[in-house]
Amino acid sequence: MQSNDHTGPGRQELAYLPVPLPKEPAKPSRLAALRDWWDRAWDVDGVLYGMWDDVLSAPDDGLRHMAPWLRVVLMVAGVSFVVLMAKGAGEVILQALHQILTAVPKVQVGVDTSNGVAAVVDQPVRTYIAQHSAGLPVAASTVYTLWLLTGITGLVLGFLTRNNGVRAMWTAWGAATVFMVWRATPDTSRPVAAGLAALAWTFLSAIALRGLTLRRRVIGRPAKVSVRPEIHVPVPYPVPAGPAEQHPHGSCPFRD
């Protein structure tokens, strides 16, 4: 009888059949995940729905009661706008100032360009600037114009604002002017020229330093004494006199 057993000496019979492994589920694509997040964010309890509700209720809530994140966004946007405007304005002002200074006529600094009493101060200042601005990258006329603008600015702003910084600038400008007049004036007329410059500076300081006082400012307010009518001072009640004290002769009616 022929046997169907094909098990040979080189084969090994399997005790169990192999079980196929389960396939991993396919991962959703990024676009599908983003779409799912977008749908959940716009639900009633979603993030985007809450933020949009904060934006819609901001006009009624006002700046004080609106959502904190919206307040931060508005503050950052406002600060950024102010910074950009200040930067643009600064560039425009600097460009205009550069054009004004470069458009100054090439005056001859150091020669007699003025007359009268003003020449006692103006000519020595021009001479001093011409002698000491040879190595500067700007022209002597530009330095002279800056000197004039500084004095006018200190005089006007010191009178209008009473700012201590502006007054300090005016004081330094006047001291520098007197020094330049002293150094650039000939020795024979140096004291008179410096005296006139100091006198003119003192006269203009009465305008620029208006309201300045050397008195010590009292910090704080004087104490106030308040009178309260509901506070009563206790007064001792008089003790009634006895029978002997009520009548000078005691209780006897027949005594003189």
Side-chain angles (χ1 to χ4, degrees):
M1 187 175 183
Q2 188 177 2
S3 176
N4 294 329
D5 189 6
H6 298 285
T7 303
R11 287 188 179 183
Q12 186 177 3
E13 187 177 359
L14 298 176
Y16 57 89
L17 295 177
V19 180
L21 298 176
K23 295 183 179 180
E24 296 181 359
K27 295 182 178 180
S29 61
R30 293 184 177 180
L31 183 60
L34 181 61
R35 186 179 304 164
D36 181 65
W37 177 86
W38 180 266
D39 294 338
R40 286 187 286 104
W42 281 105
D43 289 339
V44 179
D45 298 332
V47 178
L48 296 179
Y49 183 86
M51 295 177 68
W52 181 248
D53 186 66
D54 294 338
V55 173
L56 293 179
S57 59
D60 298 332
D61 295 339
L63 184 62
R64 185 175 182 181
H65 301 286
M66 67 173 54
W69 71 268
L70 189 58
R71 193 184 312 164
V72 171
V73 170
L74 292 178
M75 291 178 62
V76 171
V79 171
S80 302
F81 178 77
V82 171
V83 170
L84 291 177
M85 290 295 294
K87 183 179 179 181
E91 292 179 355
V92 172
I93 292 174
L94 290 177
Q95 185 177 3
L97 183 61
H98 177 72
Q99 292 178 357
I100 291 174
L101 294 179
T102 53
V104 174
K106 303 297 181 180
V107 295
Q108 298 228 341
V109 182
V111 297
D112 295 341
T113 55
S114 57
N115 50 22
V117 181
V120 178
V121 179
D122 184 68
Q123 291 179 9
V125 170
R126 290 172 180 265
T127 303
Y128 186 88
I129 291 176
Q131 292 175 353
H132 295 82
S133 61
L136 296 179
V138 294
S141 59
T142 303
V143 178
Y144 177 77
T145 305
L146 288 175
W147 174 77
L148 286 178
L149 289 178
T150 303
I152 296 173
T153 303
L155 178 63
V156 175
L157 293 184
F159 175 78
L160 296 178
T161 64
R162 299 185 182 183
N163 185 272
N164 293 331
V166 177
R167 289 174 171 178
M169 180 183 69
W170 166 259
T171 305
W173 179 86
T177 302
V178 175
F179 175 77
M180 287 189 290
V181 171
W182 175 267
R183 292 296 302 270
T185 306
D187 297 339
T188 55
S189 56
R190 177 176 295 175
V192 176
L196 290 177
L199 185 62
W201 176 41
T202 305
F203 175 76
L204 295 177
S205 297
I207 302 175
L209 306 181
R210 180 177 64 93
L212 182 63
T213 177
L214 299 179
R215 293 181 180 179
R216 186 177 181 181
R217 183 176 299 178
V218 179
I219 301 176
R221 297 180 179 178
K224 295 182 178 180
V225 179
S226 59
V227 180
R228 303 178 62 181
E230 64 271 13
I231 299 178
H232 303 281
V233 179
V235 179
Y237 188 78
V239 181
E245 297 178 357
Q246 293 179 359
H247 198 276
H249 300 291
S251 59
C252 182
F254 300 101
R255 183 175 297 178
D256 291 338

